[in-house]
Amino acid sequence: MPDNDQKDPNRRDFLYVASGAVGAVAVAGAVWPLIDQMNPSAAVLALASIEFDVSSVPEGGSVTIKWRGLPVFVRHRTEAEIEEARAVPMSDLKDPQTDAERVKEGHEQYLIMIANCTHLGCVPVGESGDFDGWFCPCHGSHYDTAGRIRKGPAPANLVVPDYEFVSDTVVRIG
Amino acid sequence: MAGQSTYKPSNGFTKWLDDRLPIMRLGYDSFVDFPTPRNLNYWWTFGGILTVCLGIQIVTGIILAMHYTPEATMAFNSVEHIRRDVNWGRIIQGTHAVGASMFFIAVYIHMFRGMYYGSYKAPREILWMLGVVIFLLMMATAFFGYVLPWGQMSFWGATVITNFFSAVPVVGDAILQLLRGGFAVDNPTLNRFFSLHYLLPFMIAGVVGLHIWALHVPGNNNPAGIPVKSKQDTVPFHPYYTLKDGFAIVVFLIPFAWFVFFAPDILGHADNYIPANSQVTPTHIVPEWYFLPFYAILRAITFNIGIPFTDITFIDSKLGGVIAMFGAIVVLFFLPWLDRSPVRSGGFRPMFKWFFWLQVISFIALGYLGSKPAEGTYVVFAQIFTAYYFAYFLIILPVLSRIETPKALPASISESVLKVEAKSATTA
Ligand code: HEM
Ligand code: FES
């Protein structure tokens, strides 16, 4: 026994490190619930999907609905706006995406996007800005008629949430 | 100046107490017979003023919390209820709201005082860094407090500020949800901000204790920036500085009271009297005035940082802005090691002086620009002043430490005081 304890590192050192490591794991395990409680609760998550009838939005009009506490734009685009969005060359875009990638086939007139500017989250104003789409007054981001970022500090296009048409006119978001 | 204690218990009870818990001795040594440089000017009264501010915020805050409801559908109305129905509520709520602004006026003066007189230099580095910690805690506290009335500015301020964290690569969105407790700022966010708004001032009080402890080891710096050499250089804290501080506190409370009585809302924004609405952002959102210089720095970064003439970006403008804004405060932690000049007081540094006052002007200019829309020349000027802000710390101070020839320092504090007195006596 004494023999063994003279060696460096000896059994005792090993036991210290091993019990310290187990202790650290236990503390981390105990701390995690204290942090995770701050994440969205089951009640918040339960509101995760909604349905909406897009036929109530007239051409050239737009409504803002609420999904998971977030504002969501449902815009019924005019023919001219769709043309304008399609004509933009990819090389002009900061976050390149075609118009088709941002809408559902057969429903190209409806643009559905989370209404928070991808910069710091303000709600941009519709039918304004240098690209006839949206303009965010908070720090000056301009979006085009497909909701793509064209100018200003925002890094990305307005986010298109997961959604699908459950009938000809009803969408389910989330 | 942690010298020998001169406390003498005056009666049987204090003697009995002193042998068991020498708390009277601690108070006596710290605030009565504490030897303090005899040349401190009025810029040195802001420490006492800040302590009073913290006390006012804690007392009025605890009272507000007795009437306030931290729930998204009721918070706005409960603050109106305090202002209209609660006995004295208009004055108490006004004192708390105005008090936050007065607190920041005092802390900015206090910090620039330290920067001019080199109070951050050895042996006071820890003292200075604890001050920066207090400043950060104050900013967090004021931000959480401003969310509580749940008006439009509260809501959108909370949205924009929590969104800073979404700029963090990879885990940004996860952090954002963790902070907000939802996909957007909502009732869970309000609840936790109330909890933290109640907690942080007491943490500030704790750090203030450390700050004063760290002050009482080397003792005060002073306008001449030279150390205390003999007893002639000092006077006891009481009555000399208790009265000087007391007088300054009274003077400070005059504009404070004026705001509370006659213009409690002038420092805030009208939009915050519109209840929070997650569907519409006010057209012009601005933070409280005391955050404006940092807000201007955030918005000055409108460009991506990457390899020039290629599409490769390392830091996009959004992350860059957030880094610059936090960096503007983090750089203060390093100040004691960036300024290597052995002379503390700016009064004896002919070149430093100019750059210092330019920094003050540039900081105020940033505040002005932060209140303006982020377009055109406003952005260009914000970029120039942001560049100066960082250059002052990272380039100018290190270079000045090498090239500047300081003026001759007085032999002692008492000599410097006597010289000034002699001069004014001959001119009189
Ligand atoms: C460092 C100290 C503190 C600062 C800088 C501070 C700052 C603020 C600010 C800026 C507001 C918003 C006022 C408005 O615009 O109407 C506020 C509100 C509030 N604070 Fe504080 N506060 C501090 C300490 C405290 C403490 C210690 C408490 C309670 C224990 C407290 C409780 C409240 C409550 C209940 C409100 C909501 C009512 C209102 O909006 O006036 N505060 N605080
Ligand atoms: S939040 Fe829209 S530009 Fe900053």
Side-chain angles (χ1 to χ4, degrees):
Chain A
M1 192 47 189
D3 208 30
N4 206 358
D5 267 4
Q6 303 309 311
K7 276 195 232 139
D8 216 13
N10 59 33
R11 267 169 52 149
R12 187 147 300 207
D13 292 332
F14 173 77
L15 284 173
Y16 280 145
V17 173
S19 44
V22 172
V25 171
V27 169
V31 166
W32 175 242
L34 304 181
I35 294 172
D36 189 40
Q37 52 78 23
M38 288 176 69
N39 269 318
S41 69
V44 171
L45 295 173
L47 302 170
S49 83
I50 55 162
E51 288 190 357
F52 180 73
D53 185 351
V54 292
S55 62
S56 59
V57 188
E59 182 167 335
S62 164
V63 296
T64 313
I65 58 177
K66 202 168 173 177
W67 170 64
R68 293 169 154 192
L70 298 168
V72 173
F73 287 143
V74 180
R75 167 123 185 106
H76 189 160
R77 298 188 294 177
T78 60
E79 217 39 62
E81 286 173 334
I82 301 174
E83 285 314 312
E84 190 181 337
R86 285 185 182 159
V88 179
M90 283 299 107
S91 58
D92 279 5
L93 297 175
K94 189 171 179 181
D95 179 11
Q97 256 189 330
T98 61
D99 188 58
E101 287 174 79
R102 300 182 51 79
V103 292
K104 297 282 182 231
E105 217 183 314
H107 302 281
E108 283 84 357
Q109 68 275 42
Y110 294 111
L111 185 60
I112 299 181
M113 311 178 293
I114 294 177
N116 293 115
C117 179
T118 58
H119 181 227
L120 295 171
C122 294
V123 177
V125 181
E127 289 162 272
S128 57
D130 295 356
F131 300 88
D132 308 322
W134 285 265
F135 171 67
C136 181
C138 286
H139 319 97
S141 289
H142 300 252
Y143 297 89
D144 66 14
T145 56
R148 292 173 299 198
I149 181 65
R150 301 298 293 276
K151 195 172 131 190
N157 303 335
L158 289 173
V159 175
V160 176
D162 280 336
Y163 72 94
E164 57 181 4
F165 278 85
V166 289
S167 77
D168 257 4
T169 60
V170 177
V171 287
R172 183 192 300 126
I173 304 178
Chain B
M1 279 283 100
Q4 285 301 309
S5 174
T6 56
Y7 175 67
K8 284 196 196 65
S10 54
N11 59 42
F13 173 71
T14 47
K15 169 127 191 25
W16 180 87
L17 183 65
D18 194 49
D19 290 339
R20 288 160 180 78
L21 177 71
I23 188 167
M24 305 278 285
R25 179 179 299 276
L26 179 68
Y28 185 88
D29 293 346
S30 311
F31 303 110
V32 180
D33 195 26
F34 184 70
T36 313
R38 60 193 281 181
N39 59 341
L40 300 189
N41 56 31
Y42 273 103
W43 299 116
W44 261 263
T45 61
F46 281 88
I49 289 172
L50 283 162
T51 313
V52 170
C53 286
L54 181 61
I56 290 176
Q57 291 308 101
I58 289 182
V59 171
T60 53
I62 290 175
I63 294 169
L64 290 176
M66 294 179 185
H67 304 276
Y68 169 78
T69 315
E71 203 280 329
T73 58
M74 296 191 263
F76 185 89
N77 290 339
S78 76
V79 175
E80 288 309 306
H81 158 74
I82 294 172
R83 293 169 62 110
R84 292 156 200 255
D85 305 337
V86 173
N87 299 339
W88 303 97
R90 181 178 85 81
I91 299 295
I92 296 169
Q93 197 274 343
T95 305
H96 196 76
V98 170
S101 282
M102 297 305 290
F103 206 157
F104 276 93
I105 293 175
V107 85
Y108 281 127
I109 294 176
H110 190 66
M111 292 170 77
F112 276 115
R113 184 283 317 260
M115 286 167 59
Y116 182 77
Y117 291 109
S119 299
Y120 46 82
K121 293 185 188 181
R124 297 185 183 82
E125 301 95 322
I126 300 278
L127 173 59
W128 170 260
M129 291 162 79
L130 287 168
V132 182
V133 170
I134 295 171
F135 180 54
L136 279 170
L137 289 171
M138 273 177 67
M139 304 216 316
T141 309
F143 161 64
F144 292 139
Y146 194 59
V147 175
L148 302 184
W150 211 238
Q152 274 290 67
M153 282 294 175
S154 302
F155 183 90
W156 291 102
T159 299
V160 166
I161 307 249
T162 49
N163 243 315
F164 289 166
F165 294 89
S166 72
V168 176
V170 191
V171 290
D173 284 328
I175 296 178
L176 191 60
Q177 283 191 14
L178 183 84
L179 292 176
R180 292 176 172 173
F183 304 102
V185 170
D186 211 328
N187 189 49
T189 326
L190 176 61
N191 277 213
R192 64 193 54 189
F193 282 10
F194 179 57
S195 169
L196 294 172
H197 185 66
Y198 210 134
L199 168 69
L200 289 192
F202 295 92
M203 295 188 52
I204 294 177
V207 183
V208 168
L210 296 178
H211 189 70
I212 293 174
W213 187 8
L215 168 69
H216 283 186
V217 175
N220 293 79
N221 184 29
N222 62 80
I226 53 179
V228 168
K229 299 206 171 96
S230 68
K231 238 180 127 35
Q232 264 95 58
D233 289 347
T234 67
V235 288
F237 190 79
H238 178 74
Y240 293 95
Y241 287 111
T242 42
L243 284 179
K244 187 162 184 158
D245 281 359
F247 177 66
I249 288 164
V250 171
V251 172
F252 181 80
L253 289 177
I254 293 171
F256 193 143
W258 183 83
F259 279 120
V260 174
F261 296 154
F262 301 111
D265 293 323
I266 206 172
L267 299 163
H269 301 287
D271 279 294
N272 221 26
Y273 289 99
I274 303 170
N277 176 356
S278 68
Q279 315 283 310
V280 187
T281 310
T283 43
H284 187 47
I285 68 159
V286 266
E288 292 288 87
W289 71 265
Y290 37 81
F291 291 136
L292 290 174
F294 298 100
Y295 193 58
I297 292 176
L298 166 84
R299 300 191 306 179
I301 311 300
T302 50
F303 42 86
N304 293 343
I305 297 165
I307 301 174
F309 312 115
T310 66
D311 281 345
I312 302 164
T313 350
F314 298 125
I315 300 175
D316 65 29
S317 53
K318 175 173 162 181
L319 181 60
V322 173
I323 292 175
M325 189 187 61
F326 283 107
I329 296 164
V330 169
V331 71
L332 296 174
F333 281 108
F334 296 96
L335 180 55
W337 296 276
L338 290 167
D339 178 4
R340 309 306 309 237
S341 167
V343 175
R344 289 199 193 93
S345 173
F348 300 97
R349 299 184 61 188
M351 292 166 81
F352 166 87
K353 246 189 216 171
W354 288 99
F355 291 106
F356 170 83
W357 286 111
L358 252 168
Q359 178 76 331
V360 175
I361 292 166
S362 138
F363 193 70
I364 294 170
L366 280 171
Y368 168 76
L369 294 167
S371 73
K372 295 282 148 197
E375 356 171 289
T377 48
Y378 291 131
V379 179
V380 178
F381 278 107
Q383 287 168 340
I384 295 170
F385 288 120
T386 300
Y388 184 76
Y389 178 91
F390 284 103
Y392 175 81
F393 293 112
L394 300 174
I395 302 169
I396 295 170
L397 287 183
V399 170
L400 278 190
S401 326
R402 286 170 176 275
I403 63 169
E404 185 183 44
T405 319
K407 291 201 262 179
L409 295 176
S412 71
I413 291 174
S414 52
E415 191 201 276
S416 77
V417 176
L418 294 176
K419 243 190 213 150
V420 174
E421 273 167 13
K423 222 194 265 164
S424 52
T426 51
T427 50

